Amino acid sequence: MRTNLTLQQLEAFEKVASTGSFRAAAQALFVSQPALSRTVRMTEEVLATRLFDRDTRHVELTPAGHELLPIARRILMEFDGAFSELSQFLDGRKGHVTIAAIPSVGVAWLPRAIAALRKKIPDVSFTLAEAPAEPLLDLVERGDADFGITVEPPRDASLRYTHLFDDPFVLLCRRDDPLARLKAAPWSVFAKHPFIASSSQGSIRPIIDAALLRRGVNVAPAFQYPSVAVGGAMVSEGLGITAMPTLALHLIALDRLTMVPLQRPSLHRRIGIVTRAGRSLSPACSAMIQHLVQLPKRSRPPLSRHEQQ
């Protein structure tokens, strides 16, 4: 037989049992004593048994009341615990967030950002995914990632972009290259030295090509690298020079390399958060995005030792 008792009825019963007094229980629950008595009476009617033996001075549990009390307390405790978890979820203090990031952001910035976030939202767990710029957008659009951190994508009605910070480009060359002594280098330098270009599938190549085109610099790449790490290794072996954003330098072995600021024009790639338009984010996800947007205002991505030289 299924018995339908409300949480209000269980709470009223438990409070009377705990205090041993209808008056004290009514005061604790902020209800009138007659209202509390009616609630207990309705509970007894539903169960078809007395829960309390009472007279003008004493309230005692009946055998049925003794049986119900641990059950009522367990149900109330489980409800309070579950409701507390829901409250933490709705407040953005609990939940799980899946983040996709391009490799340079995933190595140079995101772990540091998450470490700072853990101090604010310690009960939010994370899954991190790494992908190049275009596949990353697919992860976000399919819902496989709650949001992505990547270069600013072309305008798309299905995506929303929130800017985080700018990632400046530098000239990357060997330390024994005469170019390493320059305080700054123009983009025309790539027309006079073997240029190692990034893959056309990555996020770096379109930005560099556009910069060279604006300056009217005609460059025929001597080599093309498939990944940032390979590009750095090629420069390290003296095969040429290249241009890279500073975050990408964290993916390279820089022992034999140095970087020179690029000017005329100075160039950067915009890094930000990409979400799918029209998709509701969890409170934890929204809270994390809010914290991430505020982080760059206090600290830019960390510079490597070689960048500071």
Side-chain angles (χ1 to χ4, degrees):
M1 179 182 70
R2 180 172 179 175
T3 301
N4 293 318
L5 292 180
T6 67
L7 287 170
Q8 181 187 14
Q9 290 171 326
L10 290 174
E11 186 177 32
F13 162 74
E14 193 279 333
K15 193 61 68 177
V16 174
S18 297
T19 61
S21 164
F22 274 77
R23 180 179 179 180
Q27 291 175 344
L29 294 173
F30 301 100
V31 298
S32 68
Q33 188 171 334
L36 177 64
S37 296
R38 284 194 301 270
T39 301
V40 172
R41 186 171 62 252
M42 291 174 60
T43 305
E44 292 177 325
E45 290 174 357
V46 170
L47 295 173
T49 188
R50 290 181 63 83
L51 298 173
F52 297 101
D53 287 328
R54 48 198 182 271
D55 56 30
T56 56
R57 290 192 295 181
H58 298 93
V59 176
E60 294 183 356
L61 285 168
T62 65
H66 279 291
E67 188 71 19
L68 177 61
L69 183 58
I71 298 173
R73 285 174 172 167
R74 184 173 69 249
I75 292 173
L76 292 171
M77 185 179 297
E78 289 177 353
F79 175 79
D80 288 342
F83 199 81
S84 176
E85 289 184 8
L86 177 61
S87 297
Q88 291 182 54
F89 176 83
L90 294 177
D91 290 341
R93 293 180 288 118
K94 196 176 187 68
H96 185 86
V97 179
T98 299
I99 312 165
I102 56 175
S104 57
V105 169
V107 170
W109 186 76
L110 189 55
R112 187 166 179 252
I114 289 178
L117 289 177
R118 294 290 288 175
K119 299 176 182 178
K120 296 180 175 293
I121 44 177
D123 294 324
V124 174
S125 58
F126 306 96
T127 295
L128 305 181
E130 183 179 271
E134 289 189 14
L136 182 147
L137 298 181
D138 291 336
L139 291 176
V140 174
E141 287 188 308
R142 292 198 308 265
D144 293 334
D146 293 305
F147 64 89
I149 304 180
T150 183
V151 295
E152 182 176 13
R155 289 187 177 274
D156 188 327
S158 66
L159 297 172
R160 290 179 179 170
Y161 173 80
T162 303
H163 186 61
L164 288 176
F165 53 82
D166 295 332
D167 186 17
F169 277 78
V170 294
L171 163 70
L172 187 66
C173 64
R174 283 173 57 104
R175 288 190 176 187
D176 57 4
D177 191 312
L179 295 174
R181 296 193 292 269
L182 297 176
K183 292 185 177 180
W187 284 85
S188 59
V189 72
F190 296 114
K192 304 172 184 177
H193 301 266
F195 178 57
I196 304 174
S198 66
S199 167
S200 58
Q201 304 300 315
S203 63
I204 297 175
R205 182 69 173 272
I207 300 174
I208 293 177
D209 286 349
L212 293 172
L213 182 63
R214 284 197 302 271
R215 298 301 297 172
V217 179
N218 185 20
V219 176
F223 302 98
Q224 182 172 293
Y225 61 80
S227 69
V228 167
V230 173
M234 296 176 74
V235 175
S236 182
E237 293 300 325
L239 295 175
I241 60 175
T242 192
M244 285 192 183
T246 54
L247 284 186
L249 301 177
H250 293 261
L251 303 174
I252 297 173
L254 294 170
D255 295 340
R256 293 193 291 173
L257 302 175
T258 193
M259 56 287 308
V260 178
L262 283 164
Q263 296 182 354
R264 292 180 281 171
S266 58
L267 183 68
H268 62 262
R269 60 176 182 172
R270 289 168 56 83
I271 301 293
I273 294 172
V274 175
T275 56
R276 192 176 74 185
R279 181 187 180 209
S280 297
L281 299 174
S282 70
C285 186
S286 296
M288 184 174 185
I289 289 176
Q290 181 179 359
H291 289 310
L292 286 174
V293 169
Q294 294 170 352
L295 279 177
K297 297 176 183 178
R298 297 190 294 272
S299 60
R300 71 177 293 273
L303 294 174
S304 70
R305 174 175 58 86
H306 299 277
E307 288 177 88
Q308 297 174 13
Q309 292 179 350

